[in-house]
Amino acid sequence: MPYPIGYRQVARSAGRVVVAKVVERVSPRRSDSRDRMVLSTVALLPEYGASGTSVDRVLAHSGAPRGSVYHHFPGGRTQLIDEAVALAGDYISGLIDTMMRTGDPVDAIDAFFVLWRDRLVESGFRAGCPIVAVAVEANDGAPQLTRSAAAVFARWQEAFAALFERHGLTEERSRRLGSFVIAAVEGAVIMCRAERSAAPIEAAAAEIHDLLVYALRERREA
């Protein structure tokens, strides 16, 4: 990555904070088959996509008994994926909140790109974004999945927009930049998986870094 190591440390530190919260959520007191199935779905979606994340695959990954599926998820596979989208959305939202505590919006965005870049590299470019995995499906029989994915993207966009606005950008510009950051990350992740290379996300990160530096400096000098 074209950034100092400090940005990578911010991203990893943020990840440890939120992972700890997820582990706490599924501690031995609550580590039942329901929790395991949702977490397995979160893990499988980025690699296999929504259509490839079958109940059988979730059961094999989680080790949960088959009879527990409709006991815990009367809505079946659709409910399971919908809850996984919500959990994954919360996870990334927690990372964003932690990164934003650096106080510097450019550092926060750099760390966000580093997080995704490392995730791609460490998975051999197999793991994408679980929200995109759902969003790109037609979901004709389960339109609520598309709505859930859209709601997650909106949360991430709003978080970054609020960060930019706090640092002096107008509300309109902040919203556009928040949307652009999410679009750039997600598009770059897809390209990296196709090319089996980190080059697309590194290029997107470098361009957005320069754009934010310029936008914030221009606002301060206005």
Side-chain angles (χ1 to χ4, degrees), residues 40 44 48-49 51-63 66:
S40 288
L44 293 167
Y48 296 100
S51 59
T53 303
S54 63
V55 169
D56 285 345
R57 183 163 270 156
V58 171
L59 290 173
H61 186 276
S62 66
R66 178 168 293 277

Side-chain angles (χ1 to χ4, degrees), residues 126-200:
R126 290 180 63 86
C129 173
I131 313 305
V132 167
V134 172
V136 297
E137 299 278 347
N139 296 319
D140 290 335
Q144 66 269 38
L145 295 181
T146 300
R147 292 194 296 269
S148 295
V152 170
F153 286 141
R155 283 179 60 192
W156 298 351
Q157 176 185 340
E158 289 165 7
F160 284 134
L163 174 66
F164 300 144
E165 195 169 356
R166 286 201 302 272
H167 285 268
L169 298 184
T170 65
E171 180 180 356
E172 181 181 359
R173 183 80 189 278
S174 296
R175 287 181 177 175
R176 290 203 308 264
L177 282 173
S179 179
F180 186 46
V181 167
I182 301 304
V185 167
E186 298 293 9
V189 166
I190 292 169
M191 291 178 66
C192 288
R193 293 190 72 193
E195 296 178 17
R196 292 295 188 266
S197 166

Side-chain angles (χ1 to χ4, degrees), residues 67-222:
S68 64
V69 176
Y70 289 99
H71 172 71
H72 294 302
F73 304 97
R77 177 177 169 276
T78 296
Q79 182 184 352
L80 182 57
I81 291 178
D82 201 31
E83 294 196 21
V85 167
L87 180 61
D90 289 344
Y91 174 85
I92 301 299
S93 292
L95 294 179
I96 292 171
D97 289 345
T98 302
M99 291 170 186
M100 286 166 56
R101 293 175 198 160
T102 63
D104 185 325
V106 178
D107 284 1
I109 300 304
D110 286 346
F112 191 59
F113 275 93
V114 168
L115 177 77
W116 285 105
R117 190 263 188 190
D118 285 354
R119 175 179 172 82
L120 285 161
V121 171
E122 290 165 7
S123 70
F125 299 99
R126 290 180 63 86
C129 173
I131 313 305
V132 167
V134 172
V136 297
E137 299 278 347
N139 296 319
D140 290 335
Q144 66 269 38
L145 295 181
T146 300
R147 292 194 296 269
S148 295
V152 170
F153 286 141
R155 283 179 60 192
W156 298 351
Q157 176 185 340
E158 289 165 7
F160 284 134
L163 174 66
F164 300 144
E165 195 169 356
R166 286 201 302 272
H167 285 268
L169 298 184
T170 65
E171 180 180 356
E172 181 181 359
R173 183 80 189 278
S174 296
R175 287 181 177 175
R176 290 203 308 264
L177 282 173
S179 179
F180 186 46
V181 167
I182 301 304
V185 167
E186 298 293 9
V189 166
I190 292 169
M191 291 178 66
C192 288
R193 293 190 72 193
E195 296 178 17
R196 292 295 188 266
S197 166
I201 200 164
E202 290 178 350
E207 285 300 316
I208 286 186
H209 176 95
D210 290 348
L211 171 64
L212 290 175
V213 168
Y214 175 79
L216 293 166
R217 182 176 64 234
E218 183 183 45
R219 183 62 181 173
R220 285 192 293 266
E221 293 174 353

